[in-house]
């Protein structure tokens, strides 16, 4: 009898200094990784956009001591493409309404609208939080 095993999830993470240049670097790395994993282009573009929002929040709003990095992680397992941003701030984000003239405040609303699931959790064994989103591949790989 032949035994079948499901492939192990693909998992990669990157560490970035908490600064604005890290946002664009994270976008480039995620786009390259999605291409390497053959994630459909439209889904990869959505993931890059949403990662950009989460990284921007971590860089702008995570008030943490100097030297604390921001970590971006992506996991492709089964039909789920999951992206996480981990920072050292313990305050969990929540969407807020943005007026038509506001220049910011729409990032989490965008994540909420485009992701199949998203959330934020305190880190279980350390300082800070993980903010994540998932996109469902629907067997498109």
């Amino acid at each position: 009898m032949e035994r079948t095993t499901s492939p192990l999830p693909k998992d990669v993470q990157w560490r970035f200094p908490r600064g604005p240049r890290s946002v664009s670097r994270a976008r480039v790395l995620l786009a390259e990784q999605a291409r390497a994993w053959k994630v459909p282009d439209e889904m990869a573009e959505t993931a890059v956009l949403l990662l950009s929002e989460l990284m921007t929040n971590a860089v702008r709003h995570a008030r943490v001591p100097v030297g604390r990095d921001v970590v971006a992680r992506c996991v492709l397992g089964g039909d789920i493409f999951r992206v996480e941003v981990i920072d050292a701030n313990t305050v969990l984000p929540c969407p807020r309404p943005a007026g038509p003239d506001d220049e910011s405040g729409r990032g989490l609303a965008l994540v909420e609208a485009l992701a199949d699931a998203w959330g934020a959790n305190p880190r279980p064994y350390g300082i800070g939080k993980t903010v994540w989103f998932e996109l469902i591949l629907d067997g498109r790989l």
Side-chain angles (χ1 to χ4, degrees):
M1 175 167 23
E2 186 175 320
R3 221 175 142 165
T4 61
T5 59
S6 59
L8 292 174
K10 298 171 182 172
D11 188 335
V12 66
Q13 72 177 17
W14 307 280
R15 297 185 83 79
F16 302 98
R18 196 177 66 82
R21 290 184 187 155
S22 294
V23 177
S24 62
R25 185 70 184 134
R27 283 194 307 258
V28 168
L29 290 170
L30 181 60
E32 290 172 354
Q33 191 64 57
R35 235 182 338 273
W37 287 345
K38 296 183 178 24
V39 172
D41 290 344
E42 185 177 316
M43 180 167 292
E45 290 169 10
T46 300
V48 168
L49 171 66
L50 299 184
L51 171 65
S52 183
E53 295 298 334
L54 297 187
M55 285 291 295
T56 298
N57 283 350
V59 166
R60 283 191 183 162
H61 304 298
R63 302 289 176 231
V64 297
V66 174
R68 295 283 184 166
D69 289 340
V70 175
V71 175
R73 177 177 179 230
C74 61
V75 180
L76 179 62
D79 63 348
I80 303 289
F81 188 43
R82 180 180 175 106
V83 177
E84 302 174 348
V85 173
I86 303 154
D87 67 50
N89 188 293
T90 57
V91 177
L92 298 178
C94 60
R96 64 178 176 87
D101 296 329
D102 290 344
E103 292 183 16
S104 65
R106 292 178 187 81
L108 288 178
L110 192 61
V111 173
E112 197 168 60
L114 296 178
D116 292 304
W118 82 277
N121 309 95
R123 290 178 62 201
Y125 302 107
I127 297 168
K129 66 180 172 298
T130 300
V131 185
W132 56 270
F133 66 85
E134 294 177 344
L135 302 172
I136 299 174
L137 296 167
D138 295 327
R140 291 178 270 184
L141 284 181

